[in-house]
Amino acid sequence: MTLLSTRPKSKPKSVFQDSSLQTIIASHENVGRQKQKALSLACLAIGALAGGLGLRLVNLQLLNGQQWRERADANRIRLIARQPERGRVLDAKGRELIGSKLSHSVFLWPAAKSNPQEWDATLKYLSKIIKKPTSKLKERLGILAPASIDRIRVGRNLTPAQVTAIEEAGPILRGVEVDAETTRVYPHGQAAAHILGYTGEISEDEYQRLRGNDYKRGDVNGKLGIEASLEHLLRGQRGGKTVEVDAAGKVVQVIGEKASRMGKELQLTIDIELQKEVEKVLGKRKGAIVVMNPNNGEVLAMASWPTFDPNMFSKERITQKEWDALQKLPHPFVNRAVQAFPPASTFKIVTTAAAIESGKWPADTVLQTFPSLTFGGTRFGEWNHAGFGPLGFAGALMHSSDTFFYQIAGRIHGDTFTEWMHKFGVGERTGVALPDEAAGLLPQAKWKQKEFGEEWLLGDSINMSIGQGFVTASPLQIAAMFAVPANGGYRVRPHILKNKQHREYRKPMNLRPETLKVIREGLRAVVTRTTGEALDVSYLPSVSGKSGTSEDLGDGSDTWFAAYAPTAKPEIVVTAFAERSGGSGGKVGGPMVRDVMAAYFRLKHQAPKKPIARR
């Protein structure tokens, strides 16, 4: 018989006491902790990202929302431009010099047709209405890219019948638009044409240069005169249709209209009545006349011939007859009032001032004059081939003695002479608001070496002392020079834009009283005793001035006369210039200045053709 043992069995091991199991469990716990840490880091990253996105949304929508909305609109919304009306221009008394009239123009709008070939029938139909070859219309359309939302003008100044015909054509002329726009009007025709200028459609070269300033092909801009130089003031701000486009740039819908802003209205110093009188005096004499207030630099009139009528450029096209007539004239678009020529003996007032102010020649200097003088082996003659005997500065100006000033130039030769020419504005643009103003030439040693590879000689200074040789100046610059003795020693800056603040146009030259005295005495004696006697008439107040006659280069001499009046208290300075007129400054220019002054004082006193009492 087998007995069962009653010894108790050993206690089973705990699973937690098994080393392999503990290792596994520990490993799982570590993995869990790592996952929890990774999850926490992920949550932090997501939170940071969400916070960043939130901040970005706040920045985009709240802080800079307007800016981004504007950018989005700029990509979505386009302006089909319409040119603004240019600003009016008035004369010194408020009379209109340049205005505008409303007319109808016809435009092509490439964006209206998705297929460029659709234009063929349209242009053929339009050609019959506006009497313009289809080839010309295609050429104009080709200026813009296919499907461009800009428009291009193909006809101006449409008749009412043409406007009606286009509007009645309806779908046949889809993409053809008639729009009202203004064209320039110059109510006084040729008067002041070189000052005012004209307008025209910009060329391709101009477009490439101006496109950054919001110019488009087909725009009209100023071409000459203040129309060009003051374009930024006269132009105005464009308006037009605002349209919505899709991603491909096609027009989805017309949103509305943006009003244009008219250009600025400008007032000039020009008196149009005086301007017309001055142009009558100049007549068909190639040259220029400038009338200026010597006290503040206001240009009262400025005439140049040959000239033109700016209204011809406001039409659809210039006729062949008009163009042929212009071609027969010698450079009709050149404003000779601001172009430079040898100033001849009018320049002797600058030489006089330079001599006395240099300290090398006292104001009471007296020099013997001669039939001729020789310097460096070169003979320089007196204009009368005889000389005038002993003369002081005033007498030398009165007789316009060349040999007197040759001797003067011999001692102020060099930097001193150059310094005083610079002070009188020689070789510098006056700053008048005209785009084609020439600076003239103040010749110096460096300039001659560069241009001719030669040294500056004493003979160059001698020629320059009498306004010959290399030195050149414009009629406007000569007027500014004569304003100095007229106003008591101030250099004024000529200007044509009306401004009540004149101090910026006037600065003292700091001339010695004796310098002004001898210049003024000499200029007065010219009128009472020598070449200016044409101005010594009973119907003018006392006049002071100086004639000038350049060398005859084979096709006639240039002639000058510059003067101011009344002598005691000048209010007007006049410079007359005749290009290759022949004769002398006193006989050609003197009567022109006389007649201009007569017109000025007659208009001032509002008593036509009534003699003015002498003062």
Side-chain angles (χ1 to χ4, degrees):
M1 147 176 209
T2 302
L3 297 175
L4 294 174
S5 175
T6 59
R7 188 179 58 178
K9 294 180 180 178
S10 60
K11 187 177 179 182
K13 291 182 180 180
S14 168
V15 293
F16 296 103
Q17 291 177 327
D18 189 288
S19 59
S20 60
L21 286 174
Q22 288 176 349
T23 301
I24 293 172
I25 291 170
S27 176
H28 279 288
E29 288 177 345
N30 185 46
V31 170
R33 284 193 297 268
Q34 288 179 352
K35 287 184 176 179
Q36 186 175 5
K37 183 178 179 180
L39 182 60
S40 298
L41 290 174
C43 289
L44 287 173
I46 292 171
L49 180 61
L53 290 173
L55 290 173
R56 181 62 173 162
L57 288 172
V58 169
N59 179 273
L60 290 174
Q61 295 187 8
L62 298 180
L63 300 181
N64 295 308
Q66 182 63 29
Q67 175 187 343
W68 292 106
R69 279 191 293 275
E70 288 175 357
R71 288 193 181 184
D73 284 345
N75 291 328
R76 184 174 58 89
I77 297 173
R78 297 284 190 273
L79 177 69
I80 302 175
R82 179 183 296 121
Q83 282 216 145
E85 181 178 353
R86 292 175 72 86
R88 290 199 313 157
V89 178
L90 311 176
D91 86 336
K93 296 180 180 177
R95 293 166 293 204
E96 189 173 75
L97 299 177
I98 308 177
S100 299
K101 69 175 181 180
L102 195 64
S103 63
H104 287 89
S105 297
V106 58
F107 299 83
L108 301 180
W109 186 23
K113 297 181 186 292
S114 57
N115 184 358
Q117 293 180 351
E118 294 178 21
W119 282 104
D120 292 344
T122 299
L123 298 182
K124 185 176 181 180
Y125 194 96
L126 179 63
S127 171
K128 296 178 182 179
I129 297 175
I130 65 173
K131 310 300 182 186
K132 200 174 255 190
T134 305
S135 60
K136 291 291 184 182
L137 298 181
K138 285 185 177 180
E139 184 180 320
R140 292 290 292 170
L141 182 63
I143 292 176
L144 300 180
S148 170
I149 65 164
D150 290 330
R151 304 183 308 176
I152 191 70
R153 184 189 304 101
V154 294
R156 304 171 78 180
N157 298 312
L158 299 183
T159 66
Q162 288 173 323
V163 173
T164 301
I166 293 172
E167 290 178 344
E168 289 179 345
I172 301 175
L173 294 183
R174 184 169 56 85
V176 177
E177 293 189 354
V178 173
D179 208 348
E181 63 175 1
T182 57
T183 55
R184 283 309 232 184
V185 176
Y186 304 86
H188 302 283
Q190 291 188 356
H194 290 100
I195 298 171
L196 303 178
Y198 65 94
T199 61
E201 188 171 306
I202 64 172
S203 65
E204 183 61 24
D205 288 343
E206 287 176 318
Y207 168 71
Q208 295 299 334
R209 178 169 51 86
L210 297 171
R211 59 191 302 180
N213 296 325
D214 193 32
Y215 280 84
K216 296 180 179 295
R217 289 184 173 94
D219 278 358
V220 170
N221 68 339
K223 301 295 187 181
L224 195 71
I226 65 165
E227 289 277 33
S229 61
L230 301 179
E231 166 80 6
H232 61 292
L233 298 176
L234 292 169
R235 182 188 178 202
Q237 187 174 3
R238 69 170 74 251
K241 291 180 182 178
T242 52
V243 299
E244 182 182 356
V245 298
D246 60 19
K250 295 182 179 179
V251 176
V252 176
Q253 63 175 331
V254 176
I255 298 175
E257 293 276 342
K258 178 184 176 182
S260 60
R261 184 185 301 169
M262 184 178 178
K264 188 174 182 179
E265 182 175 276
L266 302 180
Q267 185 171 22
L268 305 186
T269 59
I270 301 299
D271 182 321
I272 191 59
E273 287 186 341
L274 179 62
Q275 176 73 27
K276 290 178 179 179
E277 293 291 333
V278 170
E279 293 188 12
K280 286 180 184 178
V281 171
L282 182 60
K284 294 187 176 181
R285 191 181 282 113
K286 187 167 66 171
I289 299 176
V290 174
V291 185
M292 191 180 80
N293 183 329
N295 301 299
N296 58 27
E298 288 187 345
V299 178
L300 308 179
M302 179 188 286
S304 178
W305 195 88
T307 188
F308 62 96
D309 184 349
N311 285 301
M312 70 176 66
F313 297 100
S314 296
K315 300 185 298 183
E316 170 67 16
R317 64 178 67 87
I318 300 176
T319 66
Q320 190 62 46
K321 182 179 180 181
E322 290 172 329
W323 183 249
D324 290 343
L326 283 174
Q327 293 300 301
K328 292 178 182 178
L329 298 173
H331 306 294
F333 300 108
V334 173
N335 184 356
R336 286 167 170 77
V338 292
Q339 298 304 303
F341 308 88
S345 291
T346 61
F347 194 76
K348 288 173 180 174
I349 66 168
V350 178
T351 307
T352 299
I356 300 173
E357 294 297 320
S358 72
K360 296 179 179 179
W361 294 101
D364 59 358
T365 293
V366 175
L367 296 175
Q368 180 65 38
T369 60
F370 305 93
S372 66
L373 288 171
T374 300
F375 298 89
T378 302
R379 178 180 172 275
F380 295 85
E382 181 64 78
W383 70 266
N384 72 345
H385 309 292
F388 300 93
L391 295 174
F393 278 104
L397 286 171
M398 177 182 72
H399 289 290
S400 199
S401 170
D402 293 334
T403 56
F404 180 94
F405 287 101
Y406 296 158
Q407 296 173 73
I408 294 296
R411 286 186 62 182
I412 59 169
H413 168 62
D415 292 341
T416 300
F417 200 2
T418 299
E419 175 190 354
W420 278 95
M421 287 193 293
H422 177 72
K423 288 183 177 180
F424 271 87
V426 181
E428 299 176 10
R429 292 181 177 86
T430 67
V432 70
L434 293 172
D436 53 349
E437 182 186 15
L441 180 60
L442 193 168
Q444 300 178 63
K446 289 182 179 179
W447 170 85
K448 188 181 179 187
Q449 184 64 44
K450 179 181 178 181
E451 293 294 320
F452 300 101
E454 299 175 359
E455 294 183 357
W456 186 265
L457 303 175
L458 176 59
D460 295 319
S461 293
I462 287 171
N463 272 327
M464 192 163 58
S465 72
I466 62 168
Q468 305 283 4
F470 298 122
V471 66
T472 61
S474 69
L476 182 62
Q477 288 173 317
I478 295 298
M481 291 177 196
F482 273 73
V484 175
N487 63 33
Y490 291 86
R491 181 179 169 183
V492 295
R493 182 161 67 88
H495 57 283
I496 57 175
L497 196 59
K498 194 77 172 176
N499 186 343
K500 295 180 180 178
Q501 302 297 325
H502 296 298
R503 284 176 292 182
E504 63 177 291
Y505 300 113
R506 174 183 171 106
K507 67 178 183 179
M509 294 272 286
N510 298 317
L511 292 168
R512 301 176 187 180
E514 57 266 35
T515 302
L516 286 169
K517 183 174 183 293
V518 297
I519 292 175
R520 290 173 68 94
E521 286 178 355
L523 297 181
R524 176 62 184 146
V526 168
V527 174
T528 59
R529 298 178 58 184
T530 58
T531 58
E533 288 182 327
L535 291 99
D536 193 27
V537 292
S538 62
Y539 53 85
L540 288 179
S542 72
V543 180
S544 298
K546 181 76 186 76
S547 62
T549 308
S550 73
E551 295 178 350
D552 189 336
L553 300 177
D555 54 352
S557 55
D558 293 341
T559 53
W560 296 82
F561 206 99
Y564 56 81
T567 294
K569 194 176 181 180
E571 58 187 73
I572 182 177
V573 59
V574 181
T575 299
F577 168 73
E579 184 180 349
R580 297 293 186 264
S581 64
S584 67
K587 291 183 179 179
V588 177
M592 285 197 286
V593 174
R594 176 198 63 206
D595 294 345
V596 168
M597 287 189 168
Y600 169 82
F601 287 107
R602 184 171 71 245
L603 291 171
K604 177 185 175 181
H605 291 272
Q606 298 180 346
K609 299 183 180 181
K610 181 179 179 180
I612 305 300
R614 292 170 62 83
R615 295 188 241 171

